Amino acid sequence: PLNLDAQVSYDEFLKQPPFKALHLRIREKIVTDQVHAPNLDLRDAGRDISPLEWHESLPNANIILDVRNHYESAVGSFNNATPLNTETFKDTNYKLDNILKNKPR
């Protein structure tokens, strides 16, 4: 059983390591979105707004997208939001492109 409160000396740790083998692999992305966009700057994503500002802006919103996957959206939804209903994170950009293709930007 795992006991996170147990103190183990370094010598004890070496006698009985918790893993048979530990392999570390460096990845460019932890979750793949299959997008190669070298000029994409995620720091340029718009401005942060307060919850009050968000709620006040909802009646005037042209479109609200729920970008959570299908099982997260099934737990609960946002009023008047269009869910993407994706299976995996990498499906998000494809679904967004299809939903927004005729929308002004």
Side-chain angles (χ1 to χ4, degrees):
L2 181 63
N3 185 347
L4 299 177
D5 295 329
Q7 296 293 317
V8 178
S9 72
Y10 183 71
D11 290 332
E12 289 177 281
F13 178 83
L14 290 178
K15 287 179 192 171
Q16 188 176 5
F19 307 104
K20 292 180 182 175
L22 178 62
H23 301 279
L24 299 178
R25 293 174 185 87
I26 305 300
R27 301 283 188 223
E28 186 176 331
K29 296 180 180 181
I30 295 173
V31 177
T32 182
D33 55 13
Q34 296 186 338
V35 172
H36 180 70
N39 296 327
L40 178 64
D41 184 357
L42 297 177
R43 295 170 295 188
D44 184 25
R47 65 181 185 88
D48 289 340
I49 62 173
S50 70
L52 178 61
E53 225 177 327
W54 165 255
H55 288 287
E56 288 174 347
S57 68
L58 287 178
N60 302 320
N62 291 328
I63 186 170
I64 301 168
L65 298 173
D66 182 352
V67 298
R68 299 173 300 159
N69 57 43
H70 71 91
Y71 56 88
E72 291 170 324
S73 296
V75 172
S77 60
F78 301 102
N79 289 339
N80 302 319
T82 301
L84 296 188
N85 293 318
T86 56
E87 288 290 322
T88 63
F89 181 68
K90 67 182 180 182
D91 300 332
T92 302
N93 287 322
Y94 173 77
K95 293 267 191 154
L96 282 173
D97 285 344
N98 283 337
I99 290 172
L100 298 174
K101 67 183 169 190
N102 296 320
K103 301 284 183 196
R105 301 199 181 212

